[in-house]
Amino acid sequence: MSGGGTALWTQLFADHHASLSGYFRRRIADRSDAEDLAQEVYLRLLRSDAGTRSDIRNPEAYLYTVAANLAREHAAARSRSPVTVEDIDCVADSVADERLGEEAIEREHRYRLLVEAIDRLPPKNRAVLLMQHRDELSYREIAEHLQVSTHMVKKHVVKALALCRRAIAAIE
Amino acid sequence: MSSAEPGNNSEAIRDLIAEAAAEWYVLHREGALSPAQSQEFLRWLRASPQHVREYLAISAIGADLGAALHRVQTPTDALVADALAQDAVVTLPNRRRDTMSAAARRRPQQGTLRPAAIAAAAVVLIGSAAVMLWSLPRDDSISTRRGEQRTQELADGTIVRLNSDTELAVDFGPAARRVDVRRGQAMFEVAKDRARPFSVHVGNATIEDIGTVFDVSTTAADTMVTVIEGRVAIWNRDAREHAAGATSAGAQPLADLGVGEQALIAASGKVDRVAGANLGKATAWTRQEIMFDHDSIASVAAEFNRYNRLQVRIDDASIARIPISGVLRAYDVHAFADFLNGLPNVHATIDAHEVRVQRH
């Protein structure tokens, strides 16, 4: 697989991101949903062991695809149950509008939580994350700025991501 | 035996899992993984639902980073200056970490796994069912030797995976499918067939299900049932047979288990139910791993003895009770001996026949 392939998978995740992030939003309201999703994805991964291991050549892409499909299935099952057939025609447009609004609000909420978590990071982790993702500097450029090795830069990025994740998990 | 106390340890484990997930995520963003790395990543994902959860959560954060970070106005120079100053202020990151941990501590803890008790005496459990007339003419028992694992598809499409040193008896008739676990551990992925209910018999317990995946591990002292998918009901064998014969609505299963639940059935028939089981741990054997989390040295040694000819013997009862945590290859007794030698006051020696564990 080439570097271009990786970009492709990154795009794939970006495509799936809307349906996945719905889960992380609902997680606040209904924790069990996100638990179910991870659990189900996990079970599919286990089951894929029935064939040969090499049949999953790109496990990350496989993971995103399985997760996004399950998230969509759950969302479909959810919206099916409470809405009656008669409701659908007259409210379809307003629901679509509402969804868009809801998505924007949810995205705003996510960004705010993330910015708060980044503000609380140790300075090095914070600097590295911003330089990489906002200023789009390479590991080598960041390493020069901070007078550390590129290996160390990578460690700071990993730590920063993990700390953000834990901070957001603690709030939710 | 008591379950592990939730607390700082489980939080430290969550931190480690989040870091492992972030490391994999960063590695993926750097470019192509080698086939070996891809397989290693898959193995890691398969080790626990917690790994899957953390990886998805970190991916979601990663996808938001670009947009979110553009809202941070701090100029790069100031960021660099702060970062360089950090070297002089060693306590800062630690204090910050403590604050986050305190916030996390308020959350309810997940359930923990109750370690299986150790076999105290060798008791052979044999099902009392008569051999049915329509039994297959060939030998209907499946077994593995010590150190051998096997996956087999049964006549109905059910897939059964046998751990080392395990014996099953399979008895499929036109109205029922029955498997007796005589010893050892097995995982069942049951094929749906409503006309022929599937049941697993072990000791004095009957486990019934309708299309599901579950794990049964039995020692002379007790049996552990773990549900990986679907639902199972556990019955006292006599009560179940009685209930099937008459129309007794009063008969109740001993336990009704859903996904991620576990039941420890003692020889006495007492059932302890555990919610939120660690499925990664319960299925570790399918990856030839032994995963232990606050389990006694004695119970971990019993697991190693299930796989290896080189047996671990513990001479000191106070050492046998010490709780340990880690993951090791099931066939690597030497690694286990090294692990034990790393503990204070514990000394493990290896000769041709056994690993002896003594007080130092």
Side-chain angles (χ1 to χ4, degrees):
Chain A
M1 193 180 70
S2 68
T6 302
L8 187 71
W9 295 123
T10 307
Q11 179 59 43
L12 189 71
F13 181 72
D15 294 345
H16 291 329
H17 188 234
S19 51
L20 280 177
S21 64
Y23 260 89
F24 292 95
R25 172 192 62 208
R26 274 196 288 278
R27 180 169 191 164
I28 301 162
D30 184 1
R31 254 190 102 73
S32 63
D33 254 12
E35 302 291 316
D36 285 353
L37 178 74
Q39 190 79 33
E40 283 187 54
V41 173
Y42 173 71
L43 288 171
R44 295 217 177 167
L45 288 174
L46 280 190
R47 239 176 281 149
S48 65
D49 203 12
T52 55
R53 291 203 154 199
S54 57
D55 60 10
I56 301 174
R57 286 176 59 198
N58 189 325
E60 191 191 47
Y62 182 78
L63 175 76
Y64 291 156
T65 308
V66 168
N69 286 342
L70 282 170
R72 284 196 200 99
E73 278 170 32
H74 281 215
R78 233 168 208 279
S79 60
R80 249 200 316 276
S81 44
V83 182
T84 65
V85 180
E86 302 86 72
D87 289 339
I88 292 173
D89 283 335
C90 54
V91 297
D93 295 329
S94 62
V95 165
D97 281 351
E98 210 172 281
R99 272 233 181 106
L100 278 179
E102 202 183 311
E103 247 165 49
I105 292 166
E106 171 257 318
R107 196 163 49 234
E108 203 49 45
H109 179 68
R110 270 186 357 243
Y111 289 172
R112 213 188 59 235
L113 286 183
L114 189 51
V115 168
E116 280 169 13
I118 289 160
D119 277 342
R120 289 196 306 269
L121 287 175
K124 267 192 186 151
N125 302 109
R126 181 163 172 261
V128 164
L129 210 58
L130 277 155
M131 286 157 93
Q132 190 190 15
H133 290 274
R134 183 191 67 181
D135 306 340
E136 293 175 4
L137 300 182
S138 68
Y139 280 173
R140 183 176 300 175
E141 287 166 323
I142 300 170
E144 278 168 20
H145 274 292
L146 297 181
Q147 299 153 32
V148 295
S149 66
T150 52
H151 178 69
M152 206 58 215
V153 171
K154 189 177 147 184
K155 281 197 142 185
H156 287 315
V157 172
V158 166
K159 191 84 185 170
L161 283 172
L163 286 175
C164 284
R165 159 65 186 147
R166 298 289 287 131
I168 289 170
I171 292 163
E172 287 176 1
Chain B
M1 215 171 288
S2 70
S3 59
E5 279 291 308
N8 286 336
N9 179 56
S10 58
E11 228 164 80
I13 289 172
R14 279 192 204 134
D15 282 347
L16 287 175
I17 295 174
E19 266 177 49
E23 209 170 324
W24 279 117
Y25 180 78
V26 167
L27 192 65
H28 275 102
R29 306 281 83 68
E30 280 175 0
L33 264 61
S34 71
Q37 282 174 318
S38 281
Q39 291 314 304
E40 183 58 33
F41 174 60
L42 191 56
R43 242 171 61 81
W44 178 80
L45 284 175
R46 281 202 178 110
S48 160
Q50 191 69 25
H51 294 182
V52 170
R53 181 172 306 129
E54 289 303 298
Y55 197 79
L56 289 174
I58 296 261
S59 298
I61 287 173
D64 280 343
L65 267 181
L69 288 177
H70 277 100
R71 302 177 173 206
V72 179
Q73 304 292 328
T74 321
T76 310
D77 294 351
L79 290 171
V80 171
D82 277 356
L84 294 176
Q86 189 191 341
D87 290 330
V89 193
V90 181
T91 53
L92 194 56
N94 291 335
R95 202 181 52 211
R96 295 247 154 107
R97 278 296 294 285
D98 287 345
T99 316
M100 260 180 243
S101 299
R105 209 167 288 137
R106 287 197 299 273
R107 298 169 53 217
Q109 299 289 338
Q110 299 213 331
T112 48
L113 191 78
R114 192 180 294 267
I118 321 134
V123 177
V124 180
L125 300 165
I126 298 170
S128 61
V131 176
M132 295 187 182
L133 291 173
W134 50 78
S135 287
L136 300 169
R138 61 180 171 78
D139 184 11
D140 59 356
S141 80
I142 311 169
S143 61
T144 50
R145 292 186 304 272
R146 178 167 289 160
E148 181 197 0
Q149 288 190 350
R150 192 193 305 173
T151 303
Q152 194 158 335
E153 187 171 348
L154 304 181
D156 66 334
T158 292
I159 293 167
V160 57
R161 202 161 174 161
L162 281 73
N163 198 358
S164 163
D165 196 18
T166 297
E167 187 181 351
L168 308 179
V170 179
D171 188 356
F172 286 0
R177 294 172 290 166
R178 172 183 175 131
V179 175
D180 283 75
V181 178
R182 290 181 176 155
R183 67 167 190 279
Q185 179 167 29
M187 191 190 286
F188 298 90
E189 194 170 326
V190 180
K192 284 195 176 77
D193 182 353
R194 222 170 267 179
R196 292 193 305 163
F198 191 97
S199 64
V200 169
H201 300 247
V202 49
N204 51 10
T206 298
I207 303 151
E208 281 189 348
D209 86 295
I210 325 105
T212 187
V213 183
F214 62 99
D215 186 281
V216 177
S217 174
T218 187
T219 68
D222 56 32
T223 297
M224 176 89 87
V225 178
T226 309
V227 178
I228 295 152
E229 190 187 327
R231 282 202 93 75
V232 306
I234 297 172
W235 291 79
N236 173 284
R237 189 184 56 204
D238 297 338
R240 185 62 189 137
E241 279 166 12
H242 195 256
T247 50
S248 57
Q252 291 286 326
L254 295 170
D256 197 2
L257 303 181
V259 172
E261 289 188 313
Q262 243 173 6
L264 187 66
I265 310 160
S268 66
K270 185 175 168 291
V271 175
D272 271 324
R273 197 173 141 157
V274 188
N278 180 343
L279 294 182
K281 178 174 169 176
T283 58
W285 66 272
T286 64
R287 302 181 297 277
Q288 286 94 51
E289 283 172 354
I290 293 175
M291 198 182 278
F292 37 107
D293 177 12
H294 273 75
D295 293 318
S296 70
I297 287 182
S299 64
V300 179
E303 276 296 296
F304 273 96
N305 288 345
R306 194 178 228 169
Y307 290 87
N308 298 286
R309 191 170 300 174
L310 194 64
Q311 296 282 293
V312 181
R313 201 179 92 195
I314 300 157
D315 290 342
D316 188 303
S318 66
I319 286 177
R321 285 194 297 269
I322 297 174
I324 51 176
S325 299
V327 185
L328 291 172
R329 306 293 299 169
Y331 297 107
D332 197 348
V333 193
H334 288 80
F336 183 48
D338 288 344
F339 180 99
L340 293 175
N341 277 324
L343 300 172
N345 303 323
V346 178
H347 187 57
T349 48
I350 305 174
D351 65 22
H353 310 290
E354 62 181 14
V355 178
R356 265 186 89 174
V357 185
Q358 295 163 298
R359 186 159 278 277
H360 209 16

